[in-house]
């Protein structure tokens, strides 16, 4: 009942419609229910649609013709990238046509002088990173789903992730977009300029709009140079107060080389070990902090990191820790490089695979919240007290560097009464401290009715007006992001 929604009066798919699409993109129209199944269900297996058709355009022109036809026929459309979202935003609610970027995976250009990459929206994040690393650059974002998420979906949801502390959000690194609007018209704002002060910054409307205002077909993005020296420290802290103090100390002492600062509680580590058989080199602490530095000078970076670690250990902030540094032996022997890379990978896996471990623990209620950093863990503690034995596990982890908490609650199976105990309490708690109910996952289908906890009604009304102007028939990703007007 909480998520009950009525199908809006869109047209139903006809044989004539299917025939048109098959003429438009032969061999790239999917109607087989079995083949459609994985695209009708989200990664968490928590929401399911019943789309009868998926389109796989390869070019902007094809996407444009498909959308123009849908607009004229009043057929609802669900834009979809890698389908790794966590709020039900990339899945049809009813029988919307899935418009997929899966075949729009071409790199258009890369400028080694400016570091500007232009690519189609269906490029997989990890593949882009691999391509750039060969050129001496990296993508400005990194997240656990990198092996399957698409850059267009990342932009549409304004994905945050693990590098935001260092390189900022996509709102700053995306320089231009190509977008097909609801009526099929293509908007080419694919600028490759750092500075362009001519008129309204239209691309910002589409970044974070979750496919409700347009279908992103190409992206121009500013990529930083690949750091020459990357070091990791994995530390154990005895209290969250010490976690916070460790963060303020590392920010002050590591300065410009600090690229990530993540935290997780002992419950997270327990689940990662139990379900994924990953073992941590640091044990016996209630909290853990993962710190990454990225710079251009190995000696300089290691010296800064060692000074910080010495300070953290002697002042009692850190109880235990391990470090993986780019040792000089790497240059002499290739096997050392592989060994160091594996340690880096292992330490990052402890943080990146928490989401995966949680899915093995039962049904997961997921919350992605921004709070003043001092309040970050209080919500976890309060929620544990509130739910008591009715929850299996209540865990907290996230991006310490930008005050982003991932609060996850697991139970054996879905329970309405438990959800009633969590919501709206979790949103009221967040609003009380002027936090955001979605730091990076978006609102999608699951959270759209709670937007008022983070935005005033005037702002929501203005968003609804933008939607009505750009998509007057409401065919693009209906039932998502905005509450029913």
């Amino acid at each position: 009942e909480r998520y009950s929604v009525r199908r809006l009066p869109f047209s139903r798919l006809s044989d004539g419609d299917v025939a048109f699409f098959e003429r438009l993109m032969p061999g790239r129209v999917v109607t087989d229910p079995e083949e459609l199944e994985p695209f009708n269900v989200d990664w968490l297996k928590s929401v399911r649609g019943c789309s009868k058709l998926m389109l796989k355009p390869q070019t902007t022109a094809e996407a444009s013709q498909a959308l123009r036809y849908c607009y004229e026929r009043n057929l609802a459309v669900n834009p979809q990238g890698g389908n790794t979202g966590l709020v039900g935003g990339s899945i049809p609610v009813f029988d919307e046509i899935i418009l997929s970027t899966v075949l729009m995976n071409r790199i258009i250009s890369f400028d080694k002088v400016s570091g500007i990459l232009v690519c189609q929206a269906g490029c997989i994040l990890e593949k882009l990173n691999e391509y750039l690393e060969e050129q001496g650059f990296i993508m400005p974002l990194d997240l656990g789903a990198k092996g399957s998420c698409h850059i267009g979906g990342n932009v549409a949801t304004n994905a945050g992730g693990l590098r935001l502390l260092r390189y900022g959000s996509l709102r700053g690194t995306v320089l231009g977009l190509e977008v097909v609007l609801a009526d099929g018209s293509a908007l080419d704002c694919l600028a490759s300029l750092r500075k362009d002060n001519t008129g309204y910054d239209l691309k910002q409307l589409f970044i974070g709009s979750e496919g409700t205002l347009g279908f992103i077909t190409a992206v121009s993005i500013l990529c930083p140079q690949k750091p020459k020296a990357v070091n990791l420290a994995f530390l154990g802290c005895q209290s969250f107060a010490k976690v916070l103090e460790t963060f303020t100390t590392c920010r002050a002492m590591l300065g410009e080389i600090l690229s990530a600062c993540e935290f997780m509680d002992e419950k997270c580590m327990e689940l990662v070990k139990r379900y994924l058989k990953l073992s941590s080199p640091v044990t016996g602490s209630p909290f853990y902090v993962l710190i990454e530095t990225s710079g251009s000078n190995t000696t300089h970076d290691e010296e800064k990191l060692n000074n910080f670690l010495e300070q953290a250990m002697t002042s009692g902030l850190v109880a235990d820790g391990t470090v993986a540094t780019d040792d000089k032996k790497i240059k002499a022997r290739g096997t050392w490089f592989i060994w160091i890379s594996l340690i880096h990978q292992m330490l990052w896996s402890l943080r990146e695979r928490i989401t995966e471990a949680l899915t093995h623990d039962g049904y997961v209620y997921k919350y992605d919240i921004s709070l003043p950093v001092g309040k970050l863990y209080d919500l976890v503690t309060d929620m544990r007290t509130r739910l008591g034995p009715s929850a299996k596990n209540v865990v907290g982890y996230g991006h310490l560097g930008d005050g982003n908490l991932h609060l996850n609650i697991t139970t054996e199976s879905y329970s309405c009464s438990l959800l009633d105990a969590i919501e709206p309490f979790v949103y009221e708690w967040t609003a009380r401290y002027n936090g955001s109910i979605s730091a990076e996952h978006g609102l999608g289908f699951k959270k759209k009715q709670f937007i008022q906890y983070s935005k005033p009604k005037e702002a929501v009304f203005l968003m609804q007006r933008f939607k009505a102007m750009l998509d007057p028939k409401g065919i693009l990703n209906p039932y998502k992001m905005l509450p029913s007007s």
Side-chain angles (χ1 to χ4, degrees):
E1 279 178 25
R2 182 181 295 268
Y3 297 123
S4 67
V5 59
R6 272 210 192 116
R7 185 185 185 278
L8 293 170
F10 297 114
S11 300
R12 304 267 178 189
L13 192 69
S14 70
D15 292 344
D17 299 328
V18 177
F20 170 83
F21 292 125
E22 278 174 344
R23 284 195 303 275
L24 177 65
M25 43 187 105
R28 289 175 282 121
V29 175
V30 181
T31 53
D32 175 28
E34 216 168 292
E35 216 182 314
L36 283 166
E37 172 69 14
F39 306 99
N40 263 314
V41 64
D42 74 330
W43 185 80
L44 287 169
K45 309 273 190 290
S46 63
V47 286
R48 186 179 294 271
C50 51
S51 177
K52 293 173 176 60
L53 180 77
M54 179 164 81
L55 304 175
K56 299 196 261 190
Q58 283 178 320
T59 64
T60 301
E62 285 178 346
S64 176
Q65 284 172 273
L67 269 170
R68 183 178 299 124
Y69 182 87
C70 290
Y71 188 75
E72 283 164 8
R73 277 275 295 118
N74 196 33
L75 290 162
V77 175
N78 180 97
Q80 192 177 87
N83 193 16
T84 60
L86 299 172
V87 288
S90 59
I91 290 296
V93 176
F94 294 101
D95 56 348
E96 299 90 274
I97 291 168
I98 297 170
L99 188 59
S100 170
T101 55
V102 70
L103 297 180
M104 302 188 81
N105 53 9
R106 200 166 50 84
I107 289 169
I108 297 164
S109 66
F110 178 64
D111 184 333
K112 281 186 80 164
V113 178
S114 64
I116 295 167
L117 170 78
V118 182
C119 65
Q120 283 187 302
C123 291
I124 289 169
L125 181 59
E126 192 168 43
K127 294 265 185 279
L128 289 175
N129 207 60
E130 285 165 7
Y131 167 82
L132 288 168
E133 281 196 348
E134 287 171 17
Q135 323 274 327
F137 288 78
I138 57 169
M139 285 298 281
L141 79 157
D142 183 24
L143 45 148
K146 60 187 162 210
S148 45
C149 65
H150 296 183
I151 188 64
N154 296 150
V155 172
T157 55
N158 189 28
L162 307 157
R163 287 180 183 158
L164 192 135
L165 174 66
R166 176 68 172 272
Y167 300 118
S169 87
L170 287 169
R171 294 201 178 278
T173 52
V174 170
L175 303 176
L177 292 176
E178 181 183 64
V179 183
V180 178
L181 301 179
D183 65 0
S185 51
L187 178 68
D188 183 354
C189 289
L190 207 55
S192 295
L193 301 167
R194 293 285 302 273
K195 301 177 93 169
D196 175 13
N197 220 355
T198 51
Y200 302 129
D201 189 1
L202 295 178
K203 69 176 181 289
Q204 294 296 350
L205 263 184
F206 301 98
I207 300 172
S209 68
E210 303 188 48
T212 61
L213 298 180
F215 179 68
I216 295 170
T217 52
V219 178
S220 164
I221 189 164
L222 181 67
C223 304
Q225 283 194 300
K226 184 183 177 182
K228 291 186 176 71
V230 177
N231 301 310
L232 278 183
F234 195 82
L235 313 170
C237 295
Q238 290 303 308
S239 68
F240 194 72
K242 288 192 172 173
V243 167
L244 291 175
E245 226 180 308
T246 301
F247 170 57
T248 52
T249 307
C250 88
R251 198 170 47 177
M253 293 185 75
L254 299 174
E256 80 292 347
I257 63 166
L258 180 64
S259 53
C261 187
E262 301 287 309
F263 90 96
M264 56 230 86
D265 60 23
E266 62 183 334
K267 268 280 177 240
C268 292
M269 287 298 96
E270 206 180 285
L271 295 173
V272 163
K273 187 178 180 181
R274 187 191 315 166
Y275 296 115
L276 306 178
K277 306 291 178 266
L278 296 177
S279 56
S280 169
V282 183
T283 54
S285 292
F287 294 96
Y288 298 93
V289 178
L290 178 65
I291 289 164
E292 183 189 73
T293 67
S294 309
S296 57
N297 185 320
T298 308
T299 319
H300 166 267
D301 293 6
E302 281 186 24
E303 192 184 326
K304 282 187 107 158
L305 185 59
N306 289 334
N307 288 343
F308 156 69
L309 291 170
E310 203 177 310
Q311 167 74 20
M313 296 297 251
T314 53
S315 60
L317 292 180
V318 169
D320 191 8
T322 189
V323 183
T325 61
D326 276 351
D327 198 281
K328 289 178 183 62
K329 283 177 250 185
I330 293 170
K331 293 186 186 76
R333 291 162 65 188
T335 49
W336 271 101
F337 180 72
I338 293 162
W339 186 68
I340 293 288
S341 294
L342 285 171
I343 292 177
H344 278 211
Q345 213 175 322
M346 180 195 78
L347 290 176
W348 265 119
S349 288
L350 292 171
R351 162 62 186 88
E352 285 185 314
R353 296 183 68 192
I354 294 169
T355 306
E356 186 189 337
L358 283 156
T359 60
H360 295 285
D361 199 49
Y363 184 85
V364 192
Y365 301 86
K366 301 188 81 66
Y367 299 92
D368 154 49
I369 281 153
S370 270
L371 286 165
V373 75
K375 283 276 161 208
L376 213 53
Y377 203 74
D378 292 358
L379 177 55
V380 184
T381 316
D382 285 5
M383 193 57 87
R384 266 191 200 133
T385 308
R386 180 178 173 85
L387 301 180
S390 60
K392 194 172 170 186
N393 278 301
V394 179
V395 307
Y397 63 98
H399 316 295
L400 198 58
D402 24 274
N404 179 186
L405 169 74
H406 293 308
L407 166 71
N408 285 241
I409 297 147
T410 65
T411 49
E412 287 300 341
S413 56
Y414 177 82
S415 152
C416 279
S417 59
L418 187 68
L419 187 59
D420 288 339
I422 301 168
E423 295 175 9
F425 172 81
V426 64
Y427 300 128
E428 288 165 353
W429 199 104
T430 303
R432 193 180 317 138
Y433 297 103
N434 302 312
S436 166
I437 66 158
S438 176
E440 59 181 3
H441 294 166
L443 295 165
F445 175 68
K446 292 181 179 177
K447 296 185 180 179
K448 62 168 190 164
Q449 297 298 347
F450 300 111
I451 191 172
Q452 74 276 7
Y453 286 101
S454 289
K455 290 285 185 288
K457 61 179 187 296
E458 294 80 9
V460 176
F461 177 58
L462 191 55
M463 288 179 204
Q464 286 165 333
R465 283 169 68 192
F466 277 129
K467 169 75 173 165
M469 179 183 72
L470 288 171
D471 180 13
K473 292 185 178 179
I475 66 163
L476 277 177
N477 225 11
Y479 325 105
K480 315 279 177 63
M481 199 172 125
L482 296 175
S484 314
S485 53

